[in-house]
Amino acid sequence: QVQLVESGGGSVQAGGSLRLSCAASGRIFSINVMGWYRQAPGKQRELVATITSGGSTNYADAVKGRFTISRDDAKNSVYLQMNSLKPEDTAVYYCNAEVRSYTYSYTYPWGQGTQVTVSS
């Protein structure tokens, strides 16, 4: 069983910054893609950013230039540095990963989510 645990959410004023962290634990052989998604009230969950094991990144247009995703494979962790936050960034942020087990099967666990609230 693989678990993802997020941390770092909170409340901030527009223009502020937050850094989210997500750590994976369990029987992990390797982690391929790691990513952040978010879900605002009344909206569908959407992609924020992803990063591959090779370091290639992908961002939603809404966050390009403001958010930076990074990972630390030694810690099985992924991070999201969020700068110049806007009220429309308010959402629950979820971590997701493509995890390969020692039996070479793949799982795609989700974290429990962390609330980010940006006030104007």
Side-chain angles (χ1 to χ4, degrees), residues 4-28:
L4 300 180
V5 178
E6 300 109 336
S7 62
S11 297
V12 65
Q13 288 193 327
S17 298
L18 285 172
R19 185 175 188 251
L20 305 183
S21 299
C22 171
S25 62
R27 297 184 60 78
I28 298 169

Side-chain angles (χ1 to χ4, degrees), residues 27 29 100-106:
R27 297 184 60 78
F29 177 76
R100 191 180 186 187
S101 72
Y102 287 97
T103 59
Y104 302 113
S105 63
Y106 287 91

Side-chain angles (χ1 to χ4, degrees), residues 44-85:
Q44 290 188 327
R45 191 172 299 188
E46 64 179 6
L47 169 73
V48 175
T50 61
I51 184 168
T52 69
S53 56
S56 295
T57 58
N58 179 53
Y59 295 93
D61 288 342
V63 307
K64 282 180 180 177
R66 300 187 297 120
F67 291 10
T68 302
I69 189 170
S70 61
R71 60 190 286 169
D72 183 340
D73 290 335
K75 297 181 179 179
N76 288 329
S77 293
V78 63
Y79 308 96
L80 187 69
Q81 178 65 44
M82 304 185 295
N83 298 329
S84 302
L85 282 161

